Amino acid sequence: MFADELARVFRRPRNLVILVLLGLLPLVLGVVVKVAGSPRNGGGPPLFAQITQNAVFLPAAALATMGALVLPLAVAIVAGDAVAGDAANGSLRYLVLAAGSRTRVLVAKATAGLVFALAAAGVVALVGLVVGAALFPHGRPVTLSGQEVSLARGVADVVVSALVAGASLVGVVAVGVALSTMTASSLTATALTLAIVIATEVVGAVPQLAGVRPVLVSTYWGAFVNVFRSPAYLTPIVKDLLEQAGWLVVWGTLAVSNFSQRDIVT
Amino acid sequence: MAEGLSKSFGRTRVLYDVSFSVPTGSIFGFLGPNGSGKTTSLRILLGLVFADGGSAQVLGSDVPRLEGVRQRVGALVEGPGYVPYLSASDNLARLLAARGVPRRRRDAMVADALERVGLGSVAARRVGRFSLGMRQRLGIAQALVHEPELLILDEPTNGLDPAGMREVRRLLVALASEGRTVVLSTHLLSEAEQMCSGVAFMTQGRAARAGPGADLRERHELSWRVRGTPLAPILALPGARPCRDGSVEITAPRREIAPIVTHLVGVGVQLEEVTPLVPSLEDLFLAEVGEGFDVR
């Protein structure tokens, strides 16, 4: 069932367009940096200053740039559509009837959403790497700690950073799928998911609310850049993954509880 | 089998103490006007909607815990549901996957179901491009594809042209002749008349009457056509109505017709004809539900 759910996600024309657009952004970023050069004095978004030094930093900079809004938006669209899309089509009742277990349906959909999140980060990283190799030097990169490492290690860092960036979106997937069980409108579920994401980012930016930062879904979203240190600094990454797991448990429980008791009338 | 089902959506009560049972291997008509509670009852039987009260069993399993019998039940409820950007084949295969049918068996099952409903030639076409009638056929294929013992079909001929309706009716009769049980929800009484051996009438959230069609007819007060001479003693019977063809129509239960005949013969009437006018399902339905549609 999971494989077919995955096929549904990746065969939806809209989702394919989203992946293509995600792939275009690192291309645009690479061209702009190639033409305009890196920001002076290391200014600008994280890792921008390193892009012109080595190809491996373009995907990292792209992930950092898109990680706060673009990637969560892409994932919210897919997660918000998970249950609500089938409800709107009228196919949810048949899927539930066929699967027997509503929890099974939900798990398959949430897992497909998570795979999409990983794929979205993967597309950004892959295109960034290819464009970076075409536009910038691709010798031995110098990490953020100032240590020169092999190109293979640099590429491996890109792969790991994409995995971490994708995993950082687990919370968005959980929120989107949970809200998707509460409405037959994908748009509503997506908009609410995005509203929650933006609200957590706003709350996280208010100094007086620093105490709640550790539980906000977006607090550690940039943690993957620590992969590009030598050695990799894992503490924020672990905190990020634990935080995402917490959001998954809370919103997953809400989703299962709501979906298993809900009348399916669409 | 359903016993005392009740259901409200918010403050609106949609089912009141609904009870009926469906004999296996038959086509059972679930009849009623729009808004009478047919679809909600079927959704409860399928575990899609939770009843507030009462109980139901499907193939021996208590509703809504149907995991054990899900392979044996197929349904079309309130129209087909499909993923528009997938082909007809892929839509059916998706449901088979959800049922845990191994991939190697899916292609043959999908092809067979699409062939049965006349969609074999458009199996690879995206469903979003299907006409209304084709989508309805796909809905029936979705219900059939895993070869269930029990089919619960809500208005299966909706959107079909007359030829398509006839094909579907033939298909349902054929499925019943294979030993499958078909629960057919419809507001088309002629459709139920042609196919159903038992019926339940739903009206305003209640099952007004349920049972084999013959039993319902038997319980219904029959009309009789009586022809004889002289006419006066016949017209003197309570409720007698003269007809244009010279006969008289009277209403009486079957058990009372013999004393009436004896009385008429006793007063010297030479009877030529005493014929029961078998009520149609429509007559029975209107007798139970009344004229007009009361959609709440």
Side-chain angles (χ1 to χ4, degrees), chain A residues 4-5 8 11-12 86 89-90 93-95 98-100 102 104 260-265, chain B residues 7 9 43 46-50 70 75-79 81-82 85 90 94 97-99 106:
Chain A
D4 284 79
E5 198 52 41
R8 186 188 78 92
R11 289 174 67 179
R12 179 161 192 175
D86 270 320
N89 289 336
R93 55 183 179 268
Y94 298 110
L95 197 58
R102 296 185 182 200
R104 191 166 158 246
S260 59
Q261 296 173 47
R262 180 187 134 186
D263 287 335
I264 297 176
V265 292
Chain B
K7 177 68 183 175
F9 290 116
R43 285 180 183 275
L46 292 167
L48 297 172
V49 164
F50 299 104
R70 68 189 168 96
L76 170 64
V77 191
E78 213 165 26
Y82 49 85
Y85 51 86
D90 288 340
R94 183 178 180 229
R99 289 182 186 279
R106 288 182 211 160

mmCIF file of all heavy atoms in Angstrom, chain A residues 4-5 8 11-12 86 89-90 93-95 98-100 102 104 260-265, chain B residues 7 9 43 46-50 70 75-79 81-82 85 90 94 97-99 106:
data_model
loop_
_atom_site.group_PDB
_atom_site.id
_atom_site.type_symbol
_atom_site.label_atom_id
_atom_site.label_comp_id
_atom_site.label_asym_id
_atom_site.label_seq_id
_atom_site.Cartn_x
_atom_site.Cartn_y
_atom_site.Cartn_z
ATOM 1 N N ASP A 4 2.127 2.131 -3.436
ATOM 2 C CA ASP A 4 1.120 2.738 -4.300
ATOM 3 C C ASP A 4 0.802 4.171 -3.867
ATOM 4 O O ASP A 4 0.478 5.016 -4.692
ATOM 5 C CB ASP A 4 -0.134 1.876 -4.308
ATOM 6 C CG ASP A 4 0.071 0.649 -5.166
ATOM 7 O OD1 ASP A 4 0.712 -0.300 -4.679
ATOM 8 O OD2 ASP A 4 -0.347 0.652 -6.328
ATOM 9 N N GLU A 5 0.886 4.405 -2.577
ATOM 10 C CA GLU A 5 0.686 5.763 -2.082
ATOM 11 C C GLU A 5 1.819 6.669 -2.567
ATOM 12 O O GLU A 5 1.610 7.815 -2.958
ATOM 13 C CB GLU A 5 0.631 5.739 -0.547
ATOM 14 C CG GLU A 5 0.026 6.958 0.073
ATOM 15 C CD GLU A 5 -1.333 7.331 -0.496
ATOM 16 O OE1 GLU A 5 -2.160 6.436 -0.745
ATOM 17 O OE2 GLU A 5 -1.544 8.526 -0.730
ATOM 18 N N ARG A 8 1.244 7.481 -6.067
ATOM 19 C CA ARG A 8 0.224 8.532 -6.204
ATOM 20 C C ARG A 8 0.849 9.922 -6.009
ATOM 21 O O ARG A 8 0.578 10.853 -6.763
ATOM 22 C CB ARG A 8 -0.888 8.337 -5.170
ATOM 23 C CG ARG A 8 -2.051 9.292 -5.323
ATOM 24 C CD ARG A 8 -3.026 9.168 -4.157
ATOM 25 N NE ARG A 8 -2.568 9.842 -2.976
ATOM 26 C CZ ARG A 8 -2.858 11.103 -2.639
ATOM 27 N NH1 ARG A 8 -3.636 11.820 -3.421
ATOM 28 N NH2 ARG A 8 -2.402 11.642 -1.542
ATOM 29 N N ARG A 11 3.316 10.682 -8.966
ATOM 30 C CA ARG A 11 2.736 10.749 -10.313
ATOM 31 C C ARG A 11 1.765 11.914 -10.444
ATOM 32 O O ARG A 11 1.217 12.134 -11.515
ATOM 33 C CB ARG A 11 2.056 9.424 -10.650
ATOM 34 C CG ARG A 11 3.089 8.322 -10.885
ATOM 35 C CD ARG A 11 2.457 6.990 -11.066
ATOM 36 N NE ARG A 11 1.689 6.908 -12.281
ATOM 37 C CZ ARG A 11 1.050 5.813 -12.668
ATOM 38 N NH1 ARG A 11 1.120 4.728 -11.931
ATOM 39 N NH2 ARG A 11 0.350 5.808 -13.767
ATOM 40 N N ARG A 12 1.557 12.604 -9.358
ATOM 41 C CA ARG A 12 0.668 13.763 -9.437
ATOM 42 C C ARG A 12 1.394 14.891 -10.159
ATOM 43 O O ARG A 12 2.473 15.336 -9.721
ATOM 44 C CB ARG A 12 0.242 14.206 -8.042
ATOM 45 C CG ARG A 12 -0.659 15.403 -8.110
ATOM 46 C CD ARG A 12 -1.469 15.638 -6.878
ATOM 47 N NE ARG A 12 -2.474 16.635 -7.213
ATOM 48 C CZ ARG A 12 -3.435 17.035 -6.422
ATOM 49 N NH1 ARG A 12 -3.554 16.480 -5.248
ATOM 50 N NH2 ARG A 12 -4.306 17.934 -6.800
ATOM 51 N N ASP A 86 -7.766 12.829 -1.141
ATOM 52 C CA ASP A 86 -8.609 11.655 -1.400
ATOM 53 C C ASP A 86 -10.043 11.915 -0.958
ATOM 54 O O ASP A 86 -10.982 11.436 -1.592
ATOM 55 C CB ASP A 86 -8.048 10.431 -0.663
ATOM 56 C CG ASP A 86 -7.058 9.659 -1.533
ATOM 57 O OD1 ASP A 86 -7.324 9.518 -2.739
ATOM 58 O OD2 ASP A 86 -6.026 9.215 -1.011
ATOM 59 N N ASN A 89 -11.659 13.884 -3.672
ATOM 60 C CA ASN A 89 -11.910 13.058 -4.858
ATOM 61 C C ASN A 89 -13.026 12.053 -4.635
ATOM 62 O O ASN A 89 -13.542 11.459 -5.580
ATOM 63 C CB ASN A 89 -10.665 12.224 -5.223
ATOM 64 C CG ASN A 89 -9.557 13.075 -5.774
ATOM 65 O OD1 ASN A 89 -9.815 14.143 -6.296
ATOM 66 N ND2 ASN A 89 -8.336 12.596 -5.661
ATOM 67 N N GLY A 90 -13.339 11.790 -3.375
ATOM 68 C CA GLY A 90 -14.305 10.728 -3.074
ATOM 69 C C GLY A 90 -13.646 9.365 -3.000
ATOM 70 O O GLY A 90 -14.323 8.341 -2.851
ATOM 71 N N ARG A 93 -13.090 7.016 0.920
ATOM 72 C CA ARG A 93 -13.948 5.961 1.479
ATOM 73 C C ARG A 93 -13.570 4.593 0.919
ATOM 74 O O ARG A 93 -13.603 3.591 1.622
ATOM 75 C CB ARG A 93 -15.422 6.274 1.244
ATOM 76 C CG ARG A 93 -15.819 6.521 -0.196
ATOM 77 C CD ARG A 93 -17.294 6.891 -0.292
ATOM 78 N NE ARG A 93 -17.742 7.162 -1.634
ATOM 79 C CZ ARG A 93 -17.755 8.371 -2.189
ATOM 80 N NH1 ARG A 93 -17.335 9.402 -1.494
ATOM 81 N NH2 ARG A 93 -18.192 8.550 -3.416
ATOM 82 N N TYR A 94 -13.207 4.574 -0.348
ATOM 83 C CA TYR A 94 -12.841 3.289 -0.953
ATOM 84 C C TYR A 94 -11.472 2.812 -0.464
ATOM 85 O O TYR A 94 -11.261 1.612 -0.288
ATOM 86 C CB TYR A 94 -12.866 3.399 -2.481
ATOM 87 C CG TYR A 94 -14.250 3.744 -2.976
ATOM 88 C CD1 TYR A 94 -14.538 4.983 -3.521
ATOM 89 C CD2 TYR A 94 -15.299 2.839 -2.838
ATOM 90 C CE1 TYR A 94 -15.821 5.315 -3.932
ATOM 91 C CE2 TYR A 94 -16.587 3.151 -3.243
ATOM 92 C CZ TYR A 94 -16.837 4.387 -3.790
ATOM 93 O OH TYR A 94 -18.116 4.710 -4.175
ATOM 94 N N LEU A 95 -10.588 3.764 -0.241
ATOM 95 C CA LEU A 95 -9.258 3.411 0.262
ATOM 96 C C LEU A 95 -9.360 2.854 1.686
ATOM 97 O O LEU A 95 -8.754 1.831 2.013
ATOM 98 C CB LEU A 95 -8.378 4.665 0.240
ATOM 99 C CG LEU A 95 -6.879 4.447 0.339
ATOM 100 C CD1 LEU A 95 -6.389 3.555 -0.781
ATOM 101 C CD2 LEU A 95 -6.155 5.784 0.292
ATOM 102 N N ALA A 98 -10.935 -0.530 1.581
ATOM 103 C CA ALA A 98 -10.013 -1.549 1.076
ATOM 104 C C ALA A 98 -8.942 -1.885 2.112
ATOM 105 O O ALA A 98 -8.602 -3.054 2.311
ATOM 106 C CB ALA A 98 -9.366 -1.061 -0.220
ATOM 107 N N ALA A 99 -8.437 -0.854 2.765
ATOM 108 C CA ALA A 99 -7.340 -1.091 3.712
ATOM 109 C C ALA A 99 -7.826 -1.726 5.008
ATOM 110 O O ALA A 99 -7.081 -2.423 5.686
ATOM 111 C CB ALA A 99 -6.642 0.230 4.015
ATOM 112 N N GLY A 100 -9.094 -1.478 5.332
ATOM 113 C CA GLY A 100 -9.614 -2.042 6.580
ATOM 114 C C GLY A 100 -9.232 -1.213 7.780
ATOM 115 O O GLY A 100 -10.070 -0.810 8.548
ATOM 116 N N ARG A 102 -7.819 2.194 9.358
ATOM 117 C CA ARG A 102 -7.596 3.606 9.049
ATOM 118 C C ARG A 102 -6.176 4.020 9.411
ATOM 119 O O ARG A 102 -5.571 4.858 8.737
ATOM 120 C CB ARG A 102 -8.599 4.474 9.806
ATOM 121 C CG ARG A 102 -10.033 4.218 9.376
ATOM 122 C CD ARG A 102 -10.981 5.171 10.065
ATOM 123 N NE ARG A 102 -12.360 4.886 9.687
ATOM 124 C CZ ARG A 102 -13.354 5.749 9.801
ATOM 125 N NH1 ARG A 102 -13.137 6.945 10.298
ATOM 126 N NH2 ARG A 102 -14.568 5.426 9.436
ATOM 127 N N ARG A 104 -3.566 2.271 9.148
ATOM 128 C CA ARG A 104 -2.693 1.807 8.065
ATOM 129 C C ARG A 104 -2.684 2.821 6.912
ATOM 130 O O ARG A 104 -1.635 3.130 6.341
ATOM 131 C CB ARG A 104 -3.199 0.446 7.587
ATOM 132 C CG ARG A 104 -2.278 -0.264 6.664
ATOM 133 C CD ARG A 104 -2.667 -1.720 6.500
ATOM 134 N NE ARG A 104 -2.115 -2.229 5.279
ATOM 135 C CZ ARG A 104 -2.841 -2.619 4.230
ATOM 136 N NH1 ARG A 104 -4.134 -2.611 4.294
ATOM 137 N NH2 ARG A 104 -2.248 -3.042 3.142
ATOM 138 N N SER A 260 -9.374 7.996 13.234
ATOM 139 C CA SER A 260 -9.986 6.710 13.575
ATOM 140 C C SER A 260 -11.405 6.883 14.131
ATOM 141 O O SER A 260 -12.173 5.938 14.161
ATOM 142 C CB SER A 260 -9.114 5.953 14.578
ATOM 143 O OG SER A 260 -8.959 6.728 15.739
ATOM 144 N N GLN A 261 -11.740 8.102 14.553
ATOM 145 C CA GLN A 261 -13.090 8.317 15.114
ATOM 146 C C GLN A 261 -13.992 9.129 14.199
ATOM 147 O O GLN A 261 -15.150 9.366 14.517
ATOM 148 C CB GLN A 261 -12.966 9.062 16.448
ATOM 149 C CG GLN A 261 -12.237 8.272 17.502
ATOM 150 C CD GLN A 261 -11.992 9.096 18.747
ATOM 151 O OE1 GLN A 261 -12.881 9.763 19.239
ATOM 152 N NE2 GLN A 261 -10.775 9.055 19.248
ATOM 153 N N ARG A 262 -13.448 9.538 13.090
ATOM 154 C CA ARG A 262 -14.191 10.463 12.229
ATOM 155 C C ARG A 262 -15.138 9.719 11.297
ATOM 156 O O ARG A 262 -14.795 8.670 10.748
ATOM 157 C CB ARG A 262 -13.160 11.250 11.405
ATOM 158 C CG ARG A 262 -13.739 12.253 10.461
ATOM 159 C CD ARG A 262 -12.632 12.838 9.588
ATOM 160 N NE ARG A 262 -13.079 12.855 8.200
ATOM 161 C CZ ARG A 262 -12.322 13.198 7.178
ATOM 162 N NH1 ARG A 262 -11.068 13.534 7.361
ATOM 163 N NH2 ARG A 262 -12.800 13.197 5.955
ATOM 164 N N ASP A 263 -16.336 10.272 11.108
ATOM 165 C CA ASP A 263 -17.242 9.748 10.092
ATOM 166 C C ASP A 263 -16.722 10.160 8.721
ATOM 167 O O ASP A 263 -16.414 11.334 8.504
ATOM 168 C CB ASP A 263 -18.648 10.324 10.274
ATOM 169 C CG ASP A 263 -19.359 9.736 11.488
ATOM 170 O OD1 ASP A 263 -19.005 8.619 11.886
ATOM 171 O OD2 ASP A 263 -20.270 10.399 12.018
ATOM 172 N N ILE A 264 -16.621 9.213 7.828
ATOM 173 C CA ILE A 264 -16.179 9.551 6.473
ATOM 174 C C ILE A 264 -17.428 9.723 5.615
ATOM 175 O O ILE A 264 -18.071 8.747 5.234
ATOM 176 C CB ILE A 264 -15.239 8.470 5.909
ATOM 177 C CG1 ILE A 264 -13.983 8.421 6.768
ATOM 178 C CG2 ILE A 264 -14.890 8.759 4.452
ATOM 179 C CD1 ILE A 264 -13.008 7.345 6.386
ATOM 180 N N VAL A 265 -17.766 10.962 5.362
ATOM 181 C CA VAL A 265 -19.008 11.247 4.642
ATOM 182 C C VAL A 265 -18.758 11.892 3.281
ATOM 183 O O VAL A 265 -19.693 12.237 2.573
ATOM 184 C CB VAL A 265 -19.933 12.160 5.478
ATOM 185 C CG1 VAL A 265 -20.455 11.436 6.688
ATOM 186 C CG2 VAL A 265 -19.214 13.436 5.898
ATOM 187 N N LYS B 7 -28.536 7.402 14.208
ATOM 188 C CA LYS B 7 -27.407 8.265 13.881
ATOM 189 C C LYS B 7 -27.866 9.716 13.770
ATOM 190 O O LYS B 7 -28.920 10.006 13.209
ATOM 191 C CB LYS B 7 -26.770 7.832 12.536
ATOM 192 C CG LYS B 7 -25.623 8.721 12.073
ATOM 193 C CD LYS B 7 -24.423 8.595 12.964
ATOM 194 C CE LYS B 7 -23.302 9.531 12.544
ATOM 195 N NZ LYS B 7 -22.171 9.480 13.491
ATOM 196 N N PHE B 9 -26.160 13.669 12.786
ATOM 197 C CA PHE B 9 -25.039 14.524 12.392
ATOM 198 C C PHE B 9 -25.300 15.879 13.021
ATOM 199 O O PHE B 9 -26.215 16.595 12.606
ATOM 200 C CB PHE B 9 -24.943 14.649 10.873
ATOM 201 C CG PHE B 9 -24.506 13.379 10.190
ATOM 202 C CD1 PHE B 9 -25.356 12.716 9.320
ATOM 203 C CD2 PHE B 9 -23.257 12.840 10.432
ATOM 204 C CE1 PHE B 9 -24.954 11.546 8.695
ATOM 205 C CE2 PHE B 9 -22.846 11.674 9.810
ATOM 206 C CZ PHE B 9 -23.702 11.022 8.944
ATOM 207 N N ARG B 43 -23.290 3.407 4.794
ATOM 208 C CA ARG B 43 -21.980 3.836 5.304
ATOM 209 C C ARG B 43 -21.709 3.224 6.672
ATOM 210 O O ARG B 43 -20.572 2.877 6.986
ATOM 211 C CB ARG B 43 -21.922 5.365 5.403
ATOM 212 C CG ARG B 43 -21.757 6.059 4.071
ATOM 213 C CD ARG B 43 -21.714 7.562 4.256
ATOM 214 N NE ARG B 43 -21.629 8.284 3.002
ATOM 215 C CZ ARG B 43 -20.496 8.546 2.352
ATOM 216 N NH1 ARG B 43 -19.353 8.145 2.867
ATOM 217 N NH2 ARG B 43 -20.504 9.184 1.214
ATOM 218 N N LEU B 46 -20.622 -0.278 6.279
ATOM 219 C CA LEU B 46 -19.256 -0.384 5.735
ATOM 220 C C LEU B 46 -18.190 0.119 6.708
ATOM 221 O O LEU B 46 -17.007 0.091 6.400
ATOM 222 C CB LEU B 46 -19.166 0.410 4.423
ATOM 223 C CG LEU B 46 -19.979 -0.183 3.272
ATOM 224 C CD1 LEU B 46 -20.099 0.812 2.132
ATOM 225 C CD2 LEU B 46 -19.358 -1.480 2.792
ATOM 226 N N GLY B 47 -18.623 0.610 7.854
ATOM 227 C CA GLY B 47 -17.653 1.100 8.840
ATOM 228 C C GLY B 47 -17.107 2.475 8.528
ATOM 229 O O GLY B 47 -16.104 2.895 9.112
ATOM 230 N N LEU B 48 -17.753 3.188 7.613
ATOM 231 C CA LEU B 48 -17.283 4.536 7.272
ATOM 232 C C LEU B 48 -17.867 5.579 8.211
ATOM 233 O O LEU B 48 -17.265 6.615 8.457
ATOM 234 C CB LEU B 48 -17.667 4.874 5.827
ATOM 235 C CG LEU B 48 -17.049 3.989 4.754
ATOM 236 C CD1 LEU B 48 -17.655 4.295 3.392
ATOM 237 C CD2 LEU B 48 -15.541 4.178 4.703
ATOM 238 N N VAL B 49 -19.056 5.292 8.695
ATOM 239 C CA VAL B 49 -19.737 6.195 9.630
ATOM 240 C C VAL B 49 -20.065 5.385 10.870
ATOM 241 O O VAL B 49 -20.420 4.198 10.780
ATOM 242 C CB VAL B 49 -21.020 6.761 8.963
ATOM 243 C CG1 VAL B 49 -21.951 7.370 9.988
ATOM 244 C CG2 VAL B 49 -20.656 7.797 7.903
ATOM 245 N N PHE B 50 -19.918 6.009 12.019
ATOM 246 C CA PHE B 50 -20.168 5.299 13.275
ATOM 247 C C PHE B 50 -21.590 5.567 13.760
ATOM 248 O O PHE B 50 -22.003 6.729 13.867
ATOM 249 C CB PHE B 50 -19.155 5.738 14.339
ATOM 250 C CG PHE B 50 -17.740 5.444 13.937
ATOM 251 C CD1 PHE B 50 -16.898 6.450 13.498
ATOM 252 C CD2 PHE B 50 -17.253 4.145 13.972
ATOM 253 C CE1 PHE B 50 -15.594 6.182 13.105
ATOM 254 C CE2 PHE B 50 -15.950 3.868 13.584
ATOM 255 C CZ PHE B 50 -15.118 4.884 13.148
ATOM 256 N N ARG B 70 -13.002 -7.543 5.129
ATOM 257 C CA ARG B 70 -12.887 -6.498 4.111
ATOM 258 C C ARG B 70 -12.639 -7.063 2.710
ATOM 259 O O ARG B 70 -13.064 -6.477 1.716
ATOM 260 C CB ARG B 70 -11.812 -5.479 4.487
ATOM 261 C CG ARG B 70 -10.420 -5.995 4.457
ATOM 262 C CD ARG B 70 -9.450 -4.991 5.051
ATOM 263 N NE ARG B 70 -8.164 -5.585 5.278
ATOM 264 C CZ ARG B 70 -7.146 -5.496 4.443
ATOM 265 N NH1 ARG B 70 -7.283 -4.827 3.336
ATOM 266 N NH2 ARG B 70 -5.993 -6.069 4.728
ATOM 267 N N ALA B 75 -17.972 -2.228 -2.481
ATOM 268 C CA ALA B 75 -19.005 -1.202 -2.348
ATOM 269 C C ALA B 75 -18.854 -0.081 -3.363
ATOM 270 O O ALA B 75 -17.758 0.247 -3.804
ATOM 271 C CB ALA B 75 -18.954 -0.610 -0.934
ATOM 272 N N LEU B 76 -19.984 0.457 -3.713
ATOM 273 C CA LEU B 76 -20.059 1.718 -4.454
ATOM 274 C C LEU B 76 -21.011 2.585 -3.648
ATOM 275 O O LEU B 76 -22.200 2.288 -3.557
ATOM 276 C CB LEU B 76 -20.612 1.487 -5.863
ATOM 277 C CG LEU B 76 -20.964 2.735 -6.671
ATOM 278 C CD1 LEU B 76 -19.731 3.562 -6.952
ATOM 279 C CD2 LEU B 76 -21.643 2.366 -7.979
ATOM 280 N N VAL B 77 -20.467 3.590 -2.993
ATOM 281 C CA VAL B 77 -21.281 4.414 -2.097
ATOM 282 C C VAL B 77 -21.277 5.850 -2.571
ATOM 283 O O VAL B 77 -20.222 6.476 -2.654
ATOM 284 C CB VAL B 77 -20.740 4.379 -0.645
ATOM 285 C CG1 VAL B 77 -21.754 5.014 0.295
ATOM 286 C CG2 VAL B 77 -20.436 2.978 -0.221
ATOM 287 N N GLU B 78 -22.453 6.347 -2.872
ATOM 288 C CA GLU B 78 -22.621 7.740 -3.276
ATOM 289 C C GLU B 78 -21.645 8.121 -4.394
ATOM 290 O O GLU B 78 -20.890 9.085 -4.267
ATOM 291 C CB GLU B 78 -22.440 8.658 -2.068
ATOM 292 C CG GLU B 78 -23.329 9.892 -2.165
ATOM 293 C CD GLU B 78 -23.434 10.624 -0.850
ATOM 294 O OE1 GLU B 78 -22.510 10.528 -0.017
ATOM 295 O OE2 GLU B 78 -24.432 11.271 -0.648
ATOM 296 N N GLY B 79 -21.660 7.341 -5.423
ATOM 297 C CA GLY B 79 -20.859 7.670 -6.599
ATOM 298 C C GLY B 79 -19.449 7.118 -6.527
ATOM 299 O O GLY B 79 -18.971 6.735 -5.461
ATOM 300 N N GLY B 81 -15.330 7.038 -6.630
ATOM 301 C CA GLY B 81 -14.246 7.880 -6.134
ATOM 302 C C GLY B 81 -12.967 7.405 -6.799
ATOM 303 O O GLY B 81 -12.720 6.203 -6.864
ATOM 304 N N TYR B 82 -12.196 8.328 -7.306
ATOM 305 C CA TYR B 82 -11.024 7.923 -8.078
ATOM 306 C C TYR B 82 -9.993 9.036 -8.028
ATOM 307 O O TYR B 82 -10.310 10.184 -7.705
ATOM 308 C CB TYR B 82 -11.423 7.639 -9.534
ATOM 309 C CG TYR B 82 -12.240 8.761 -10.091
ATOM 310 C CD1 TYR B 82 -11.639 9.882 -10.634
ATOM 311 C CD2 TYR B 82 -13.627 8.748 -9.997
ATOM 312 C CE1 TYR B 82 -12.376 10.944 -11.084
ATOM 313 C CE2 TYR B 82 -14.383 9.813 -10.442
ATOM 314 C CZ TYR B 82 -13.748 10.905 -10.987
ATOM 315 O OH TYR B 82 -14.482 11.975 -11.418
ATOM 316 N N TYR B 85 -5.810 11.777 -11.970
ATOM 317 C CA TYR B 85 -4.620 11.749 -12.834
ATOM 318 C C TYR B 85 -4.034 10.351 -12.979
ATOM 319 O O TYR B 85 -3.013 10.174 -13.627
ATOM 320 C CB TYR B 85 -3.552 12.733 -12.327
ATOM 321 C CG TYR B 85 -3.221 12.597 -10.867
ATOM 322 C CD1 TYR B 85 -2.275 11.694 -10.419
ATOM 323 C CD2 TYR B 85 -3.882 13.378 -9.925
ATOM 324 C CE1 TYR B 85 -1.979 11.570 -9.085
ATOM 325 C CE2 TYR B 85 -3.592 13.258 -8.575
ATOM 326 C CZ TYR B 85 -2.640 12.355 -8.167
ATOM 327 O OH TYR B 85 -2.347 12.224 -6.827
ATOM 328 N N ASP B 90 -4.769 1.839 -12.930
ATOM 329 C CA ASP B 90 -4.000 2.213 -11.735
ATOM 330 C C ASP B 90 -4.908 2.492 -10.545
ATOM 331 O O ASP B 90 -4.555 2.219 -9.401
ATOM 332 C CB ASP B 90 -3.109 3.424 -12.030
ATOM 333 C CG ASP B 90 -1.947 3.069 -12.934
ATOM 334 O OD1 ASP B 90 -1.614 1.866 -13.010
ATOM 335 O OD2 ASP B 90 -1.384 3.967 -13.569
ATOM 336 N N ARG B 94 -4.566 0.341 -7.202
ATOM 337 C CA ARG B 94 -4.308 1.018 -5.919
ATOM 338 C C ARG B 94 -5.181 0.417 -4.821
ATOM 339 O O ARG B 94 -4.722 0.190 -3.699
ATOM 340 C CB ARG B 94 -4.618 2.508 -6.117
ATOM 341 C CG ARG B 94 -4.333 3.360 -4.919
ATOM 342 C CD ARG B 94 -4.618 4.814 -5.235
ATOM 343 N NE ARG B 94 -4.335 5.626 -4.065
ATOM 344 C CZ ARG B 94 -5.153 6.537 -3.564
ATOM 345 N NH1 ARG B 94 -6.303 6.768 -4.145
ATOM 346 N NH2 ARG B 94 -4.829 7.228 -2.502
ATOM 347 N N ALA B 97 -3.936 -3.011 -3.975
ATOM 348 C CA ALA B 97 -2.734 -2.908 -3.136
ATOM 349 C C ALA B 97 -3.133 -2.653 -1.686
ATOM 350 O O ALA B 97 -2.572 -3.236 -0.754
ATOM 351 C CB ALA B 97 -1.831 -1.787 -3.648
ATOM 352 N N ALA B 98 -4.118 -1.767 -1.498
ATOM 353 C CA ALA B 98 -4.573 -1.468 -0.136
ATOM 354 C C ALA B 98 -5.179 -2.720 0.511
ATOM 355 O O ALA B 98 -5.139 -2.875 1.730
ATOM 356 C CB ALA B 98 -5.600 -0.343 -0.166
ATOM 357 N N ARG B 99 -5.733 -3.585 -0.295
ATOM 358 C CA ARG B 99 -6.304 -4.830 0.228
ATOM 359 C C ARG B 99 -5.237 -5.899 0.438
ATOM 360 O O ARG B 99 -5.544 -7.000 0.882
ATOM 361 C CB ARG B 99 -7.367 -5.368 -0.731
ATOM 362 C CG ARG B 99 -8.623 -4.547 -0.765
ATOM 363 C CD ARG B 99 -9.671 -5.125 -1.673
ATOM 364 N NE ARG B 99 -10.808 -4.216 -1.788
ATOM 365 C CZ ARG B 99 -11.789 -4.115 -0.898
ATOM 366 N NH1 ARG B 99 -11.790 -4.899 0.155
ATOM 367 N NH2 ARG B 99 -12.758 -3.247 -1.073
ATOM 368 N N ARG B 106 -2.601 -8.700 -9.486
ATOM 369 C CA ARG B 106 -3.419 -7.497 -9.682
ATOM 370 C C ARG B 106 -3.821 -7.272 -11.137
ATOM 371 O O ARG B 106 -4.971 -6.951 -11.421
ATOM 372 C CB ARG B 106 -2.667 -6.263 -9.164
ATOM 373 C CG ARG B 106 -2.588 -6.200 -7.674
ATOM 374 C CD ARG B 106 -1.877 -4.925 -7.244
ATOM 375 N NE ARG B 106 -1.155 -5.136 -5.997
ATOM 376 C CZ ARG B 106 -0.162 -4.385 -5.564
ATOM 377 N NH1 ARG B 106 0.260 -3.365 -6.287
ATOM 378 N NH2 ARG B 106 0.429 -4.643 -4.426
#
